[in-house]
Amino acid sequence: MAFYSNDTVTWEGFFASHTVYRPEVHPGFVAWISAFDFGDGTVGLSFDERIHQHDPDFKNPKLEYAHAASAPVSYCSAEAGSADIQAFRVYMRSSDGVHFEETGRCSRSQGSFCNLGFPGGRIVGLDVSRHNEAGTGWCNYVQVRESLDGGSTWTPIRKLLDGYATYLWRTRRLKDGTWVILASFFGTPWGPGMLRCTRTTSLPNETGVSKIQTFFLTTTDGYHFSQPNYILPGIGAHEYDMVETSSGDLLFIAGDVQGHPCGYQLVRRSPDGWINQTVFPIHAGAPEDVQKNPQGGYIPETIVYDARHSCLLGYRRNKCFSLSNDNGENWIRIITDFPNDHLYQPQILPLPDGRIALYGHHGGGDSAFGEND
């Protein structure tokens, strides 16, 4: 498939913007959204909400936690919390991908950023808790839970990858109903008494890229999971995405949103398992000067295959839409006549009727309470 000669293209399709949820008290904090489908034509959303009210379960964080977690300043109110701020995970569901109704709400410690939907409304949540039992860091396992009441209450199913520092990122459903969980190992476990004393500590001769091992898991039921399938070697990708090709293979795209090297890789489906193909570099859309501005490109962090136009369509937080018609090797910025650079932590999702939905939170950052919602 030939690539366009210019680096921009004008948006000529239909576009509509909708507010799905707005905090009742302003300014509010509603963020870190994830979208998933239930396999029955309905769409689910999950997101954090923090409200200025007394939290009866609040515990003062330990100094060891602040040191080991190495959380950026913008995360502090979210990570450490406050006795006057209560954190929830909210769940919503829609039959058209636009008009949502709240189905459940639970404490943030029970809800999950990564979710799997199943026909009938069952939700499986996967979460790496930001607070371990000792209160000195994150948990070194993935807690798998299920909810049968829309996300209000949760029952533990199992621990997954126990003993490892897992970074969960995104879930994608394949055409046959199989769920793919995108994740990585963020180095070895860390914290007091560990070989790695903080989350950002690098061991001798280790780099920020080499310590991150990117992989995906698969499951068909949320109870049984595959072994890790390692992908994108040498890139350090931990916030990346994938699409299923028409042949059932998986195409992974790792952009520059977190400043690591960019690349794309096809993983073929075979009777003997998933077979990795070569990792190739991304050209158009990648940062012009990786040393000076490693996040200076516009490669999308969330992607979908647009069957109507036979191309990949994606979005990069606070930047732009872009497309590729050569399997991710080059990306073209899409010029629009409507504002589209304000969504943060975006996730793009194909809807059953062929439309494409982009979900995210308005405001453009991780700060828990700022001047705007």
Side-chain angles (χ1 to χ4, degrees), residues 215-239:
F215 67 91
F216 69 91
L217 307 171
T218 61
T219 181
T220 58
D221 57 11
Y223 296 113
H224 307 90
F225 295 82
S226 70
Q227 295 178 340
N229 297 272
Y230 290 93
I231 53 172
L232 298 168
I235 285 183
H238 53 287
E239 296 189 3

Side-chain angles (χ1 to χ4, degrees), residues 175-204:
K175 291 189 290 286
D176 66 359
T178 299
W179 278 100
V180 178
I181 298 100
L182 311 185
S184 63
F185 290 125
F186 208 88
T188 56
W190 47 269
M194 302 285 187
L195 185 62
R196 191 187 306 274
C197 60
T198 75
R199 183 173 64 93
T200 56
T201 299
S202 291
L203 301 177

Side-chain angles (χ1 to χ4, degrees), residues 180-368:
V180 178
I181 298 100
L182 311 185
S184 63
F185 290 125
F186 208 88
T188 56
W190 47 269
M194 302 285 187
L195 185 62
R196 191 187 306 274
C197 60
T198 75
R199 183 173 64 93
T200 56
T201 299
S202 291
L203 301 177
N205 299 316
E206 183 182 59
T207 67
V209 169
S210 67
K211 74 179 178 182
I212 297 176
Q213 304 300 315
T214 311
F215 67 91
F216 69 91
L217 307 171
T218 61
T219 181
T220 58
D221 57 11
Y223 296 113
H224 307 90
F225 295 82
S226 70
Q227 295 178 340
N229 297 272
Y230 290 93
I231 53 172
L232 298 168
I235 285 183
H238 53 287
E239 296 189 3
Y240 60 102
D241 208 351
M242 58 135 285
V243 295
E244 182 181 12
T245 69
S246 59
S247 61
D249 299 328
L250 307 181
L251 176 63
F252 291 88
I253 304 291
D256 59 312
V257 67
Q258 292 296 342
H260 53 66
C262 306
Y264 68 99
Q265 182 180 29
L266 189 67
V267 178
R268 296 197 180 279
R269 185 196 294 260
S270 83
D272 300 314
W274 298 102
I275 309 298
N276 291 0
Q277 305 299 291
T278 302
V279 179
F280 290 102
I282 296 175
H283 299 296
E288 293 183 3
D289 191 324
V290 177
Q291 299 300 320
K292 292 183 178 180
N293 190 3
Q295 293 177 297
Y298 55 87
I299 300 170
E301 63 190 278
T302 180
I303 57 174
V304 68
Y305 182 72
D306 184 350
R308 295 169 300 179
H309 300 94
S310 300
C311 68
L312 299 175
L313 175 67
Y315 182 83
R316 167 70 180 276
R317 68 184 69 174
N318 302 139
K319 284 199 174 182
C320 63
F321 286 97
S322 59
L323 65 85
S324 170
N325 67 343
D326 60 1
N327 292 325
E329 183 177 354
N330 295 281
W331 292 88
I332 311 169
R333 288 172 293 182
I334 299 176
I335 305 302
T336 68
D337 57 3
F338 53 84
N340 68 86
D341 60 351
H342 57 275
L343 283 187
Y344 191 78
Q345 207 77 44
Q347 183 170 354
I348 198 167
L349 194 72
L351 300 181
D353 62 2
R355 291 175 301 151
I356 294 174
L358 176 69
Y359 303 100
H361 73 258
H362 188 284
D366 295 310
S367 298

